[in-house]
Amino acid sequence: MTGLAASFGNPGAQSVQTVRHLLSEMRHRSRDGEAVESYNEATFGIAYTAKLPEDTQAPEIWNTDEWLIIADARLDNRAELTAQLCPEGEVHSDCRLLYLAIEYWTDEAPRHLRGDFAFVALNKATGTILACRDPFGIRPLFFRVEEGVLSFSTEARGLINLAIRSPRLNISDVRISHTISAVTGNGSKGGEAEIRGLYRVQPGHLLVKNKEELTEVSYFKLRPAELAPDPDWPSEFRRRFEDAVESRLRTKGKLATLLSGGLDSSAITAVAARQSAKNFCAVAGIFKEKASGDEEIYIEAVGNHLGLDVLKVPLDEVSPIKAMQSIIAAMGRPFNAPGIAVLDSLLPHISKSGAMHYLDGHGGDEVISYGFDKLIELGRQKKWLELWKQMPAWSGLFGTSQLLDFARFFLRFSTLPGTYRLRRTLLSLGKGKLTDPGRLVKEKFAGNLPAKEPIGKTALERHVQSIQNGLLCESFELYDVVASRHGLQPLFPFFDQRLVEFCLAVPDDLKLHNGHTRYLMREAMQSYLPSKVLWRRSKFDFTPVLRRQLAPWQKETDLNDDARSSPLLNILSQERITSFLKKCQDTHRLKSEDAQLLWRIISLDYWLKTLEKEK
């Protein structure tokens, strides 16, 4: 929740003014005060909230003869760092341990840190600037380069608004490639953000500014854990998962979890409830109007099993459109996740409970992995009976027909005569997708369509890609800025480095087994969860909620007329976008992909018009 701000290259007074502006955009992060320190043309600022038991009560900027450093950190290897950097056993905050690590290892420090962190550091002797973000990008850090001035901020909005106050910024400063990526639903590639000159420090990277050269180097490579031969897989998973949750229980005051009724959030809630000796609460969103959107039976099962009173919040009236407008105003940026409306509606209830942190199961799918590579391998080996036995994992997750899904796999890999034509026919059944998002883009911008990332050749490579994709990075930035507006810090146990590395080492047979995805996790959590949740194959689908909320929007607003003045028409084909929007008017029949695309078009249109008003 703490916010960082820094500026380099401006004369002293202007540098301080820039940092003061950046801090003013993050006042919600300064519950325990602000601090500003300068050295020559460099100014550092911090909007501070004490979150951990060892945190100081006042904001702290590390300012020595050699270094000027600001940081936001929650470290998992405190004991290891303390033993190496504090031989006398002094108790330090995580941020101070990070300061000591930089002082000791300089630019090699990130390799010795494990946890969630971001920092900016200036070596006064050499003039070298270091800026860094943790391996998975849990803590955000953006920077802007303009006319020799380098500025950093935890939130992009302050950096964007710096430019908006300049007469040079207009809609043409929006990166076309990013807008197209947003339309298609792809994450950003590399460090580029929406506005020219605005970048993000990439997860697992160290930014180095030395004289006139600005470089970004990777300090982290995700690899499988090195394990003893034939480990007890369930026990080892349980140990690492319990450690990941326990490490995040080290907080000030009350702790909360978001409980959706799915496997990930339920497992986190169960472990936290068992381990936490202090006040603890679980908060769940409830959708009553649509049976397909109601997870209450699973939420109640978890609560009853744990003897836990769950705070249930009705969410049927939550509007993703209104939430989108509010969040874009807060962020100054568009985003790809309409489900964030649910989060934005739940967080006030957590805040009112007195908690400053909440545990979230976000990313569990990617880290644990569904193990669907096994289905492909069974098809290649023509093991049709075993493939049929495993198909409930696929059809249960996606809510599709097991028979039709099996037929598609059979025809994909079968060598029987005539199967190719039958396969094409079956693949066309049940899709119902209105359009390919890329076809909405004008022909002259076709070259700006995001290139498809080559799919990894091995199951391990594909697993790593799913964990390190751009959408996950952007989602952490979104979670952070939304939570901070409610005075909260999100924590993500599934992105504990030791747990992630272990999951990469899990054999495919333990990822998908007996018709269940994530089999190893289910086995390991048997003593924690009721069978109804532990062995469920289905997953909460936000699509019915989104469709229901898009319906009144379609009646109240005619984007077909409004689109004629939309900045989006600089990039999208008016004929194709109008055709798509007309087809979307019957929102209750929209497939998930089309509902998501419609929502992205609405949000991008709103964001670009907001920029036009501000310029």
Side-chain angles (χ1 to χ4, degrees):
M1 182 175 167
T2 290
L4 310 179
S7 180
F8 304 87
N10 260 329
Q14 292 183 29
S15 181
V16 172
Q17 183 181 12
T18 295
V19 168
R20 291 289 186 192
H21 161 75
L22 295 173
L23 292 177
S24 72
E25 297 279 4
M26 300 188 290
R27 286 200 180 100
H28 49 282
R29 296 179 182 265
S30 57
R31 179 179 294 185
D32 295 308
E34 297 179 356
V36 175
E37 296 271 0
S38 295
Y39 176 79
N40 292 339
E41 293 184 348
T43 301
F44 283 22
I46 186 167
Y48 181 67
T49 297
K51 305 175 294 295
L52 304 175
E54 302 83 7
D55 282 351
T56 58
Q57 289 304 306
E60 190 175 33
I61 296 178
W62 191 254
N63 193 353
T64 68
D65 292 339
E66 187 177 1
W67 290 99
L68 185 60
I69 303 173
I70 49 174
D72 179 30
R74 186 206 58 80
L75 301 175
D76 291 319
N77 58 336
R78 275 184 55 84
E80 174 188 324
L81 292 171
T82 299
Q84 188 158 6
L85 301 174
C86 313
E88 296 181 4
E90 306 100 315
V91 176
H92 291 300
S93 69
D94 288 26
C95 287
R96 187 172 284 270
L97 282 173
L98 188 150
Y99 301 155
L100 294 174
I102 295 173
E103 192 174 53
Y104 188 79
W105 287 297
T106 62
D107 58 351
E108 290 293 314
R111 301 180 188 274
H112 299 269
L113 304 174
R114 198 171 70 239
D116 314 333
F117 59 85
F119 69 79
V120 183
L122 170 67
N123 186 310
K124 295 179 179 178
T126 65
T128 301
I129 302 166
L130 306 175
C132 188
R133 194 171 174 186
D134 62 72
F136 303 113
I138 307 295
R139 299 293 163 93
L141 187 61
F142 295 88
F143 66 98
R144 183 170 180 81
V145 182
E146 188 175 22
E147 297 182 356
V149 177
L150 175 63
S151 302
F152 292 91
S153 181
T154 296
E155 293 190 12
R157 179 186 174 186
L159 296 170
I160 293 172
N161 287 348
L162 275 176
I164 287 176
R165 296 190 301 173
S166 163
R168 287 186 298 277
L169 181 76
N170 52 52
I171 293 298
S172 65
D173 288 309
V174 175
R175 287 192 174 102
I176 290 176
S177 59
H178 188 282
T179 302
I180 292 175
S181 293
V183 170
T184 58
N186 296 86
S188 298
K189 297 292 185 285
E192 289 189 347
E194 298 82 2
I195 303 294
R196 290 190 180 95
L198 179 66
Y199 303 86
R200 58 172 53 83
V201 177
Q202 297 184 75
H205 282 69
L206 176 71
L207 192 74
V208 182
K209 175 71 163 62
N210 194 347
K211 295 182 179 179
E212 299 303 317
E213 188 178 9
L214 183 65
T215 59
E216 194 170 22
V217 295
S218 173
Y219 68 83
F220 176 77
K221 184 174 178 60
L222 187 55
R223 297 183 176 90
E226 295 182 3
L227 303 170
D230 300 320
D232 182 339
W233 291 101
S235 295
E236 183 63 17
F237 176 90
R238 186 165 50 249
R239 184 178 69 82
R240 295 197 183 213
F241 185 66
E242 288 172 343
D243 288 347
V245 174
E246 184 178 17
S247 178
R248 285 152 183 81
L249 296 178
R250 184 174 58 90
T251 65
K252 281 191 172 183
K254 196 172 184 178
L255 183 81
T257 64
L258 286 179
L259 177 60
S260 70
L263 179 62
D264 297 334
S265 68
S266 298
I268 289 173
T269 299
V271 173
R274 183 178 293 189
Q275 292 182 348
S276 181
K278 55 187 172 181
N279 290 335
F280 173 81
C281 70
V283 179
I286 305 297
F287 297 92
K288 289 286 192 181
E289 291 185 10
K290 276 274 189 183
S292 58
D294 186 10
E295 296 283 285
E296 190 169 7
I297 59 171
Y298 301 109
I299 292 166
E300 285 185 347
V302 173
N304 293 337
H305 186 79
L306 300 175
L308 188 67
D309 290 329
V310 180
L311 175 60
K312 300 173 186 176
V313 182
L315 295 174
D316 287 299
E317 301 304 316
V318 171
S319 169
I321 303 297
K322 291 181 180 178
M324 171 269 293
Q325 294 173 342
S326 172
I327 294 166
I328 285 179
M331 293 177 59
R333 308 167 55 218
F335 60 96
N336 254 344
I340 204 68
V342 174
L343 177 66
D344 196 46
S345 299
L346 289 175
L347 294 184
H349 296 274
I350 294 179
S351 185
K352 287 177 184 176
S353 75
M356 293 180 64
H357 295 77
Y358 70 91
L359 301 177
D360 196 296
H362 180 60
D365 293 344
E366 290 80 5
V367 171
I368 304 300
S369 173
Y370 291 128
F372 286 140
D373 282 294
K374 182 174 182 178
L375 299 180
I376 296 173
E377 190 58 32
L378 290 172
R380 286 173 177 163
Q381 295 174 2
K382 311 295 188 291
K383 295 183 177 179
W384 306 124
L385 180 58
E386 181 63 20
L387 177 63
W388 172 258
K389 290 178 180 178
Q390 301 298 344
M391 285 311 300
W394 178 285
S395 56
L397 180 67
F398 296 109
T400 52
S401 164
Q402 181 181 347
L403 180 60
L404 186 58
D405 290 335
F406 174 79
R408 286 172 175 156
F409 272 84
F410 176 81
L411 293 176
R412 176 180 176 183
F413 296 105
S414 174
T415 55
L416 293 174
T419 53
Y420 177 74
R421 180 174 295 178
L422 284 171
R423 176 191 166 206
R424 288 182 61 86
T425 301
L426 279 172
L427 284 174
S428 66
L429 293 177
K431 285 193 173 182
K433 189 176 178 182
L434 295 180
T435 191
D436 174 5
R439 293 195 67 252
L440 299 177
V441 178
K442 289 181 177 179
E443 297 295 335
K444 66 178 179 178
F445 294 122
N448 295 98
L449 283 168
K452 290 185 178 180
E453 185 178 358
I455 299 175
K457 295 180 180 179
T458 66
L460 175 60
E461 289 175 353
R462 292 189 288 274
H463 195 170
V464 170
Q465 283 180 335
S466 71
I467 294 171
Q468 294 185 320
N469 71 74
L471 286 175
L472 267 179
C473 169
E474 291 181 27
S475 70
F476 287 131
E477 296 163 1
L478 177 58
Y479 274 68
D480 178 84
V481 75
V482 171
S484 70
R485 302 276 160 177
H486 298 285
L488 295 166
Q489 178 74 63
L491 301 170
F492 305 97
F494 283 105
F495 286 88
D496 185 287
Q497 185 176 327
R498 295 180 70 248
L499 178 62
V500 174
E501 291 169 346
F502 172 80
C503 289
L504 289 176
V506 173
D508 287 345
D509 284 345
L510 292 178
K511 294 176 182 176
L512 180 66
H513 187 67
N514 286 348
H516 284 94
T517 62
R518 302 189 290 174
Y519 181 80
L520 175 61
M521 181 180 179
R522 299 176 195 269
E523 278 285 304
M525 292 288 105
Q526 286 201 67
S527 63
Y528 279 98
L529 295 173
S531 295
K532 180 181 289 188
V533 173
L534 188 68
W535 298 106
R536 68 175 292 197
R537 291 189 174 98
S538 62
K539 187 177 177 66
F540 172 68
D541 182 8
F542 187 68
T543 303
V545 180
L546 182 58
R547 282 198 298 243
R548 196 162 63 246
Q549 291 298 332
L550 286 172
W553 175 86
Q554 281 281 15
K555 294 176 182 177
E556 296 171 9
T557 307
D558 187 359
L559 190 60
N560 296 297
D561 293 333
D562 193 41
R564 293 170 189 161
S565 61
S566 171
L568 266 179
L569 288 182
N570 294 326
I571 299 169
L572 304 184
S573 162
Q574 181 167 349
E575 179 183 355
R576 293 172 188 169
I577 193 73
T578 300
S579 174
F580 171 70
L581 293 172
K582 285 182 179 178
K583 291 177 181 178
C584 285
Q585 288 179 356
D586 190 5
T587 55
H588 73 281
R589 293 187 178 182
L590 282 179
K591 295 292 184 181
S592 175
E593 306 98 310
D594 295 312
Q596 295 273 344
L597 174 57
L598 176 57
W599 184 89
R600 291 196 299 270
I601 289 171
I602 297 168
S603 63
L604 280 168
D605 177 66
Y606 177 82
W607 175 63
L608 291 172
K609 287 178 178 176
T610 301
L611 277 185
E612 277 196 327
K613 292 176 183 178
E614 291 178 334
K615 71 176 181 177

